[in-house]
Amino acid sequence: MPSTTWENLSFTGRRPLIVCVAFLLFVALGFGLIKFGILLSKKNVASAWSGFASSVAEKVGDVKDITRPKIKPEVEVIPSPKRPVLNSGAKILNPADFTGRNIVVRDSGTGKMLYGKAAYDPWPMASVTKLLSALVLLDAPINFASTTVAAVDGAPDNDVAIGATYYVKDLWNAGLISSSNRAVLSLADSTGLTREEFVGRMNEKARQLGMTGTKVVEPTGLDARNQSTAADIAVLLAEALRKPEILESVRLTSYDLADVNGRYGKKIKTTDWLLSGAISNFGLELVGGKTGYIPESGYNFAAETVSSTNHVVVVVLGARSIDARFTEARRAAEWAYQNFTWK
């Protein structure tokens, strides 16, 4: 029987073997491609994970070898305020030269007291109280474009008409420029707080400011039980004048006031005679201030003045006359600028 070889096989005989070999090659190729795809996928995942991990580590500062430079954020450097130093041979103020019962001269930049007379003794605040009320109103907050009805209680008031509707901004200016009591009561009522709640916030604000010698019982200053110290009022004034809304108003010498319908119109004028020029400031530049008077307090005045290099707060409480509170404040500020050098 003749042997069977590949050469002896006909095409028909060869076909099953060709098909079988082709099938095996196809299967082997398929497995190879699948394995290659798996390896490639693992490599990409590992690469992606490595990149993510490096990014996270870089953000938390764990990556030490970072080639690109790190940009440091800009930090605003606030220079230390210049400190007042008493000049050699400086004149010392004589307490007997002042009718004011309580006086403080304070450097605004450092908070250093340059002069004090009964600085920590309690005294009726009178309308200086309104600065504390204004801070609480800003915290409330109030909407200057809104309207409110003027309070019907309180002391007689020549500026604000009982029961009339005013813009809040107008009452705000009446309270701080001409020291209208009804304006301040109306603003306090407009917050939706009871009078007791409003006064509670005033006392809390005083505590926040470190005014440990201050306690009030109502928002206007008409009650002599609104008590503070010259040292505390210096802190209060400095804080109040940091608020643009307060600073803008206490710097106005006059203001046209009327209700929303244009009725009860009048020009109100500032009670600060150094600002208005009724008493000469002798070239002393005034930042802003607030007056106060009730019979129990005498004449009170707190103001911040400024020179070319620094600011000084002066508080005079219990002066004997309306003129004396301004002239004594002016004299105390002039003394500070003449006898201290800021270094």
Side-chain angles (χ1 to χ4, degrees):
M1 184 175 180
S3 61
T4 301
T5 64
W6 178 260
E7 292 82 1
N8 294 331
L9 288 175
S10 64
F11 178 78
T12 301
R14 294 176 180 177
R15 185 165 57 184
L17 294 174
I18 294 173
V19 171
C20 182
V21 171
F23 176 78
L24 292 175
L25 290 172
F26 179 81
V27 170
L29 180 61
F31 276 112
L33 289 173
I34 292 172
K35 184 175 181 181
F36 178 78
I38 292 173
L39 291 173
L40 183 62
S41 176
K42 288 182 177 180
K43 182 178 180 181
N44 288 338
V45 170
S47 176
W49 174 254
S50 176
F52 173 75
S54 296
S55 175
V56 172
E58 180 182 346
K59 289 179 180 179
V60 298
D62 290 338
V63 175
K64 305 299 182 183
D65 185 20
I66 303 299
T67 56
R68 67 175 183 271
K70 293 183 178 180
I71 301 175
K72 295 182 179 180
E74 293 186 4
V75 177
E76 182 182 0
V77 178
I78 301 176
S80 299
K82 292 183 177 181
R83 304 188 67 83
V85 177
L86 188 65
N87 297 335
S88 175
K91 176 185 176 183
I92 304 302
L93 284 178
N94 183 357
D97 292 339
F98 295 87
T99 67
R101 295 284 301 273
N102 312 61
I103 298 175
V104 157
V105 181
R106 179 178 184 264
D107 174 50
S108 295
T110 62
K112 179 180 178 179
M113 188 183 298
L114 308 182
Y115 174 78
K117 173 185 177 182
Y120 300 100
D121 290 353
W123 193 257
M125 298 174 71
S127 282
V128 178
T129 300
K130 293 180 174 72
L131 293 176
L132 188 56
S133 296
L135 290 174
V136 172
L137 287 167
L138 290 178
D139 288 343
I142 56 173
N143 179 2
F144 286 105
S146 64
T147 61
T148 192
V149 177
V152 299
D153 62 336
D157 192 304
N158 296 323
D159 296 335
V160 176
I162 294 175
T165 301
Y166 288 86
Y167 286 107
V168 165
K169 179 66 173 179
D170 292 334
L171 292 175
W172 173 269
N173 281 327
L176 292 177
I177 297 172
S178 63
S179 206
S180 166
N181 297 308
R182 183 168 291 116
V184 172
L185 290 175
S186 304
L187 292 172
D189 293 344
S190 74
T191 63
L193 300 170
T194 66
R195 297 276 176 88
E196 292 75 16
E197 289 171 335
F198 190 86
V199 169
R201 292 197 181 186
M202 292 175 68
N203 285 311
E204 176 60 28
K205 189 68 175 181
R207 285 191 291 271
Q208 291 174 4
L209 295 175
M211 298 168 58
T212 57
T214 300
K215 182 175 176 57
V216 300
V217 299
E218 53 83 35
T220 67
L222 287 172
D223 195 313
R225 292 176 295 170
N226 282 12
Q227 298 263 320
S228 187
T229 67
D232 277 4
I233 288 176
V235 173
L236 172 62
L237 180 76
E239 177 64 20
L241 294 183
R242 291 190 185 100
K243 306 297 182 181
E245 300 89 344
I246 297 177
L247 179 61
E248 177 185 354
S249 294
V250 299
R251 289 178 65 85
L252 294 174
T253 57
S254 64
Y255 186 78
D256 292 321
L257 177 68
D259 75 352
V260 295
N261 296 313
R263 300 176 301 172
Y264 313 112
K266 66 176 303 183
K267 184 180 288 291
I268 58 176
K269 296 182 179 180
T270 181
T271 58
D272 182 348
W273 287 7
L274 282 180
L275 180 67
S276 68
I279 289 183
S280 175
N281 57 25
F282 290 169
L284 189 67
E285 185 176 348
L286 198 69
V287 177
K290 185 71 188 76
T291 62
Y293 172 81
I294 54 176
E296 297 89 342
S297 71
Y299 293 91
N300 297 343
F301 183 52
E304 183 172 13
T305 64
V306 61
S307 72
S308 59
T309 57
N310 51 280
H311 292 229
V312 166
V313 168
V314 180
V315 179
V316 176
L317 303 179
R320 289 180 185 172
S321 69
I322 190 170
D323 289 12
R325 62 179 168 187
F326 299 116
T327 57
E328 292 179 13
R330 181 187 64 200
R331 191 191 320 153
E334 290 172 338
W335 167 83
Y337 294 127
Q338 293 168 1
N339 290 276
F340 283 85
T341 301
W342 275 258
K343 299 180 179 180

